[in-house]
Structure formats: C-alpha cells, structure tokens
Amino acid sequence: SPTHQYRADFERSGKYSASFARYLRQPHKASLLGWDEYRWDGDTTLIQGEAYQQTSVRASADATWTSVRWLLTSKEVEGSGASQWMVEAVFVDEPDDAELAAVEPLAPLEEPERRQIFAQLDTDESGAISPESFVGVVASLGFPREQAEALAAATDTDGDGAITFGEFSALLSKVNQQASAAGSFARLVTDGVRATADAAQSPHDVVTKVLRALRDEPPYPLYGAEVAIRYCSPTNPAAQLTPATFATYLDEPH
C-alpha cells in the first residue's frame, strides 16, 4: 500500500529495493522467506475498507507453525479509477495468551494516593464511606448496579455497614486480581489517578493499559474495545470505528 510505513520510508530515501531487502533479512521476518507450507487460519474479516487475514507458515512438515497476520487496505489504482487490495502491514509471530499473561503487573497506588481518593468519597468526613455512596461511585464507572452492590458488601469485610479506609485500601490493593469486579474497579481507579498525575504516559503504559483492557474481565460490555479505540492514533482507521464494530474484529479466532 502507498501508506505502508516501510514503502514510504524507502521511497523517500531513494533506495527502495536495497532497503526493503535488508528489512526482510531481520530475524523475525525469516519465516516469511523460508516457508515451505502455509495455511489459512479462519475467514477474512472486512471492516470499513480494511481486510484482516490470519495465516500460518512453516519451513517443513515437522516444523512449528508461525502465525502471520495480514492487514490490507483498499486503495485506488492511480489513473484507473478502480480499487485494489494492497498490503498495509504484516505482523509475524504475535504474542499468544501465555505471553500476554506475563504483562508486568500494575503497581498499586501508594497510601497517600489512596487516602486522597478515600477523602473525596468520605463526603461527610465521618472516617468511613457509606455503602450507598460507594455503590453510586462504582455504578458511575459503568458497573451494573447489582455488581456494585455485591462489591460494596464484599468490601465491608466486618459487615458494620460502613467502608473504612483499611477496607477501601484493601480493595485498591487488588489491582492485579484477574476476572473479578474488585480487580476491575481497582484498575479503573488506579488508571484514573495515574492518568491525572501523568498525562504524558509512556509507550509502555499505553501498551499495558490496552492489553489489560482487552484481556481482563470487562466492568461493562465493550469496555476493552472502548479503551483500544481511545488510544488509537487519529490516522489509524480503527479510531473511527464504534466499539461494537471494533469488537466484531476482536471476536475473530486469531
């Protein structure tokens, strides 16, 4: 595709063929050159002028398959008035679920940060948060009310009808607890505090946040798709998709 990052770079340098040959000699691209057999993995996904196709290649009958994901875009052929599918990007050997599970854990908030949040929720300055107030806050983040009420009951560990700082702090410490409402709430609060404190997030922070949003149990439907779209560059066509459309792509087996 004319917008493929390497084509644009190489054409600017005036050394397209030689530079592209050197690019293909990178170790992680070796499977694209040395394959003896390939297979289609799943159907092609078409989304607003883009096509996604998963394939696998291997060098011999007893070799391990290497995954290759293709992104194609429909581009007008200059001077013809017709469109043609062209390669926009190729992703080789992307991380599997086990590798995604190894994402660096999110560091819990420090005690001063937790106390500041607690003070904002302790509106009557009684030293505790009422279950009703807590349920309202959790529901405002997109959790179903029934789930918010269950989380409030679970957080009030002594059952006295009030959430103390110790109980609230224990909840926020569950930031890396997977597949739970407590973990989802703790991550949402932690992410919000960190984003406010440091609007200029590092590339590592953005990648980690998107990976977690797509992998973990969502606090509400399409949450992962919303986060992924939020961090898409304005030049990425996915930035224009609705969460429901983006989720259609995510439902593909690859």
Side-chain angles (χ1 to χ4, degrees):
S1 166
T3 52
H4 189 292
Q5 66 179 99
Y6 291 102
R7 176 168 175 172
D9 290 343
F10 295 147
E11 287 181 342
R12 279 196 298 270
S13 71
K15 300 177 180 178
Y16 180 83
S17 298
S19 297
F20 193 71
R22 285 196 297 272
Y23 159 67
L24 288 176
R25 287 200 295 269
Q26 296 179 92
H28 68 282
K29 298 294 184 184
S31 57
L32 291 177
L33 304 180
W35 65 271
D36 181 65
E37 183 180 2
Y38 75 92
R39 69 185 183 192
W40 299 97
D41 296 331
D43 297 328
T44 303
T45 300
L46 299 175
I47 302 178
Q48 296 187 0
E50 293 186 345
Y52 300 85
Q53 177 63 54
Q54 187 79 14
T55 63
S56 293
V57 297
R58 63 182 179 181
S60 63
D62 58 352
T64 301
W65 289 100
T66 296
S67 66
V68 183
R69 183 165 63 90
W70 300 79
L71 166 60
L72 295 90
T73 55
S74 181
K75 299 292 185 181
E76 182 177 342
V77 179
E78 186 175 355
S80 71
S83 296
Q84 176 180 324
W85 288 107
M86 308 183 81
V87 175
E88 180 72 19
V90 181
F91 306 91
V92 180
D93 212 13
E94 293 182 293
D96 58 20
D97 290 342
E99 291 172 302
L100 292 181
V103 172
E104 181 179 338
L106 185 64
L109 294 173
E110 298 294 332
E111 183 173 331
E113 296 171 311
R114 300 185 194 193
R115 288 194 177 278
Q116 184 176 11
I117 300 168
F118 183 81
Q120 293 172 356
L121 301 182
D122 179 18
T123 54
D124 59 2
E125 299 182 351
S126 65
I129 306 170
S130 70
E132 295 76 14
S133 177
F134 182 79
V135 168
V137 170
V138 176
S140 71
L141 294 175
F143 289 78
R145 188 164 188 85
E146 297 79 7
Q147 193 175 42
E149 291 173 347
L151 182 58
T155 302
D156 180 17
T157 55
D158 61 8
D160 66 352
I163 297 173
T164 64
F165 172 72
E167 292 169 330
F168 183 72
S169 182
L171 171 61
L172 293 186
S173 70
K174 298 176 180 178
V175 66
N176 291 301
Q177 186 176 102
Q178 305 300 323
S180 71
S184 295
F185 174 80
R187 283 192 299 279
L188 284 172
V189 173
T190 301
D191 284 342
V193 172
R194 298 264 164 79
T196 302
D198 183 11
Q201 299 179 77
S202 71
H204 178 276
D205 292 335
V206 172
V207 170
T208 299
K209 183 174 294 185
V210 173
L211 284 177
R212 287 184 175 280
L214 293 176
R215 183 195 67 186
D216 295 347
E217 179 183 1
Y220 54 86
L222 301 179
Y223 169 75
E226 285 185 3
V227 173
I229 292 172
R230 187 185 312 150
Y231 285 96
C232 281
S233 164
T235 57
N236 185 335
Q240 308 303 318
L241 299 178
T242 65
T245 302
F246 191 84
T248 300
Y249 162 66
L250 294 178
D251 285 338
E252 287 296 304
H254 62 276

